[in-house]
Amino acid sequence: MTQDLPLSGAVKPYPEPDAADVRELLLDWCGAEPEDADDAVKGLAALDPLSRELADRLYQSIAADMGGRKWLAWPKATEPHPLLGLYPLLASVPDMLAFHQGRGVEEDLSRRVLADVGEKLRLNRRLYGRAGLDVANWFTGHVRGVLYQLGRLQFCVEGAGPKPFVGMHIRGEGGPLTLDAVRDSVEWALEFFPAVFPDRYSGPEDLVFKCDSWLLDPQLRDWLPERSNIPGFGALFDLEGPGDPKGARNSLWRFVFARTDDTPVEKLPRDNTLQRAVLAGIESDVPWRNRSGRLNLARLGL
């Protein structure tokens, strides 16, 4: 995969962030914890020449595809540099801001989308007991100007064709997933994307929203209480296909339990209703699956 990245400096000079840049961006823009910012500064100083060259090439892949679609394929960060992908992302923030400003996106939304970085740093620390960003490539959608946090939900330009569908994504720290919050987010997106991407969408009628998530598994309705927001969210979608036959273990272990997927079932936490419901299903051999679906706007009254 590394061989598919642009060469160092192929698009524009790599503005490697210095320690002050890393700290300011993480604390003031990304809402990261001080310990993650401290470790990121230490990690930057520890990069060897080959790692710095790879960071440059990762940055080049971003600079070459501003305003593209979805997120980019990056090699996984490995020891001893689990934060390697963070630095080209931070270096791309000025590029993101310039793209946003050119499309009329206000700074508040720029800051809001970067808050996801702080969240994922916190999740990585819970998963691995140290600083890291194991899904750094996910943020290439953020900094290339194609993913936005609009209220409760994130929306990303995805898919092929002249009018790509808009993917819907759910931050763990975004708050309750109520139908009112979902409706407000979708209404915002219906206005936002034609305004920001008039070359792709002439109006709300061009927008198709899709989601791929364990949250759409209809089996959850049998295990969660009626007051839960999750079944109501899943019911908004017309499901497509049977779901991943490999199941949703990685997603559930990561997002429900904040554990790596090699954690034995008996060691998973049972601290909240969702964890207890998912575990009850696991212990009853329920084949939890990620499901894909198309949002049915009529079910939101839109």
Side-chain angles (χ1 to χ4, degrees), residues 12-76:
K12 59 189 296 187
Y14 170 43
E16 180 182 84
D18 61 20
D21 292 333
V22 168
R23 189 179 300 280
E24 178 184 1
L25 285 166
L26 287 178
L27 294 178
D28 295 344
W29 285 79
C30 302
E33 302 301 322
E35 61 181 341
D36 285 324
D38 290 343
D39 284 350
V41 168
K42 294 174 185 175
L44 177 66
L47 293 181
D48 55 77
L50 285 177
S51 297
R52 291 179 184 275
E53 179 183 354
L54 177 55
D56 184 337
R57 296 180 68 185
L58 294 173
Y59 171 78
Q60 300 303 319
S61 71
I62 293 170
D65 193 41
M66 293 298 297
R69 305 181 188 198
K70 209 173 179 182
W71 42 92
L72 301 176
W74 276 8
K76 282 280 189 181

